Amino acid sequence: IMAINSIKNELNNVEFHIIGSGEQSKELQTEVNKLGLNHFIKFRGKIFGKELIKEFKSSHLFILPSIFEGQPLTLLEAWASELPVLVTDVGDNYRFVKKDLNGWILPPKDTGGLAKLILKVKDMKKNELKKIGKYGYELVKKKYSWDVMVKRTYGVYLDELKE
């Protein structure tokens, strides 16, 4: 929210959707109202299934500005929808996100860096963004499809049985 606030004058026709809910939802909505960012930031609540896919497919960028994470499934979901991603360097994100190849990664709580990256992506050509999103998609397809994950899981069980 603070990153968006710092660049709001440069964000013509840009809208951010916050998906999910949690303890901070009301606090975040109050902050957005206080800063007058309602026309930039929309709170969508919890979204699942086809509605979530529709949200991904209608977007140009997936932003995950987490302070902490494990290995976020939403990152893989965004790539499965061929979206470039912008994430913080928490959890296992650094293992997946390669700068300018399938997305961007920055330190947590780096509001200035986040604002700069949002503007960078906003000014990129559509075909550049598509290429970055497609690379993420190919990674998910190659390493994290259901078929691949089933084989890996089955392999782990077979290894355990040998011991």
Side-chain angles (χ1 to χ4, degrees):
I1 293 169
M2 298 314 294
I4 294 166
N5 188 53
S6 72
I7 58 175
K8 64 186 173 190
N9 294 331
E10 300 172 65
L11 295 175
N12 300 331
N13 300 319
V14 176
E15 194 171 278
F16 298 86
H17 291 188
I18 296 179
I19 298 176
S21 63
E23 296 173 12
Q24 295 179 313
S25 292
K26 295 239 186 277
E27 183 182 324
L28 295 174
Q29 288 176 358
T30 300
E31 187 71 15
V32 166
N33 290 336
K34 186 175 90 178
L35 295 170
L37 298 174
N38 300 60
H39 55 287
F40 291 116
I41 301 173
K42 308 294 180 196
F43 290 87
R44 304 275 288 130
K46 290 183 180 180
I47 299 176
F48 302 99
K50 290 181 182 180
E51 189 66 26
L52 181 59
I53 293 168
K54 183 178 174 185
E55 187 74 34
F56 279 130
K57 291 290 190 181
S58 68
S59 299
H60 295 90
L61 174 69
F62 174 76
I63 303 172
L64 186 64
S66 299
I67 297 169
F68 57 87
E69 282 288 346
Q71 195 288 295
L73 181 59
T74 56
L75 176 62
L76 301 179
E77 291 171 333
W79 277 330
S81 297
E82 298 187 28
L83 279 175
V85 301
L86 195 167
V87 302
T88 48
D89 191 6
V90 294
D92 283 340
N93 287 345
Y94 74 96
R95 294 178 185 266
F96 300 98
V97 179
K98 305 301 176 215
K99 182 183 174 192
D100 294 324
L101 193 57
N102 60 10
W104 302 270
I105 192 162
L106 68 153
K109 299 184 180 183
D110 183 0
T111 303
L114 179 57
K116 285 178 187 174
L117 279 169
I118 289 171
L119 289 176
K120 173 184 175 172
V121 172
K122 181 185 88 63
D123 292 336
M124 289 177 74
K125 293 179 180 167
K126 270 190 176 181
N127 64 335
E128 291 177 85
L129 287 175
K130 279 188 172 277
K131 184 178 175 183
I132 292 169
K134 187 72 170 171
Y135 191 89
Y137 171 79
E138 292 299 331
L139 174 71
V140 168
K141 187 173 146 184
K142 180 179 176 184
K143 293 188 175 186
Y144 302 101
S145 70
W146 280 111
D147 290 341
V148 171
M149 295 310 294
V150 166
K151 287 176 186 173
R152 282 186 183 170
T153 303
Y154 183 65
V156 168
Y157 282 109
L158 288 178
D159 287 346
E160 288 296 318
L161 289 174
K162 291 177 187 175
E163 293 180 9

